Amino acid sequence: YLKEWDVELPPPLERTDDDDTNKGLFGHPVSEGEQLFFAFHCKRQQQQQSSRGGGTSNDKEEMDPILNVVLNDEMGKTFRQVLQLDLDDFYRTLEMEEEYAKMNTITAKLKCSTEEGLVGDPVSFVYSVDVKPALLDGKPAGEIFYTITSIDSDWIIGGQVHGSLDQSLGQVDVTFVGIPTRSGLITTFPLVSLEFQAFQQEHSESYNNNNNNETRGGGGSSLPPIKVNVMTPEAFGCSSYANHMALACPAHVEI
């Protein structure tokens, strides 16, 4: 029988004191080989400490997520199980968010009009781009150039795949069309890239005098890169045509 359980999470996560979502498991007989699924609520700490794995190899185990489970047999004897949780991908995502927060970073979220479709059928996409965080010389750039590409993805794209975004609008939606090229579960999607577009010559010259970065943006000016945190759907289910009907007719009729 399950007697008690607890989870230990390294920063920046901590378990909340909400109602126990696993209370239905208490008193449930557990047979050998049976699988138990636990759920819990957690929150991100406001004052974030050092990331997990930042210490020596001796204290790394203490920084890993741990699930403590106490089982009680029919004789009243207790058995404690200490299980290591595999949350590496989740913590890596948190670390990337922390890294992006320190950069000149823009978040772009891709939305798909449907979760499944057929090979060759157009699908509408919308990129919601938050252009406010991008600063040039500590000030809003005004115009940001965007490009949507489908390299290394299973999509043919069309529509507004490149252009400029007005930074004064804050969040801007970019609509385009994608056509899946193969059947199956598609996990790659078109990506958006951003760069500064300096139309004011005096602004570009002022920035060039103080910086010597790689060439980005219009006019060949040296501008800082913009990091894009792209958020895409998990997958798109694409099916092939089971059958196809077509009508043929002559181009002209001779009388």
Side-chain angles (χ1 to χ4, degrees), residues 104 135-141 196 198 200-217 220-226:
N104 207 9
L135 299 177
L136 181 60
D137 246 1
K139 300 177 182 180
F196 288 113
Q200 300 180 9
Q201 183 66 24
E202 59 181 5
H203 183 87
S204 298
E205 292 178 354
S206 174
Y207 195 91
N208 288 333
N209 293 332
N210 299 312
N211 297 274
N212 190 22
N213 297 331
E214 61 179 343
T215 301
R216 305 279 296 195
S221 58
S222 296
L223 300 175
I226 300 178

Side-chain angles (χ1 to χ4, degrees), residues 1-2 6 17 26 35 42 46 61 63-64 72 79 89 126 134 136 142 148 154 163 173 189 198 203 215 242 247:
Y1 298 89
L2 177 64
D6 188 25
D17 296 329
F26 291 103
Q35 293 183 349
C42 62
Q46 296 295 332
E61 295 182 357
M63 303 181 68
D64 286 333
N72 199 13
F79 301 88
D89 290 340
V126 177
L136 181 60
I148 300 175
D154 299 301
D173 290 341
F189 294 89
H203 183 87
T215 301
L247 177 63

Side-chain angles (χ1 to χ4, degrees), residues 158-172:
Q160 301 176 357
V161 295
H162 58 83
S164 61
L165 305 177
D166 187 355
Q167 197 171 9
S168 63
L169 299 177
Q171 181 165 314
V172 184

Side-chain angles (χ1 to χ4, degrees), residues 106-113 123-131 144-153 155-166 169-178 187-194 227-234:
I106 285 181
T107 299
K109 185 175 183 179
L110 180 63
K111 298 179 181 179
C112 185
S113 60
V123 179
S124 297
F125 287 102
V126 177
Y127 255 121
S128 296
V129 186
D130 184 10
V131 294
I144 295 178
F145 187 79
Y146 76 90
T147 303
I148 300 175
T149 59
S150 59
I151 301 175
D152 297 330
S153 70
W155 298 90
I156 298 174
I157 58 175
Q160 301 176 357
V161 295
H162 58 83
S164 61
L165 305 177
D166 187 355
L169 299 177
Q171 181 165 314
V172 184
D173 290 341
V174 179
T175 304
F176 65 99
V177 176
T187 57
T188 58
F189 294 89
L191 300 178
V192 60
S193 60
L194 302 171
K227 303 293 183 181
V228 183
N229 182 16
V230 179
M231 304 173 64
T232 62
E234 292 185 1

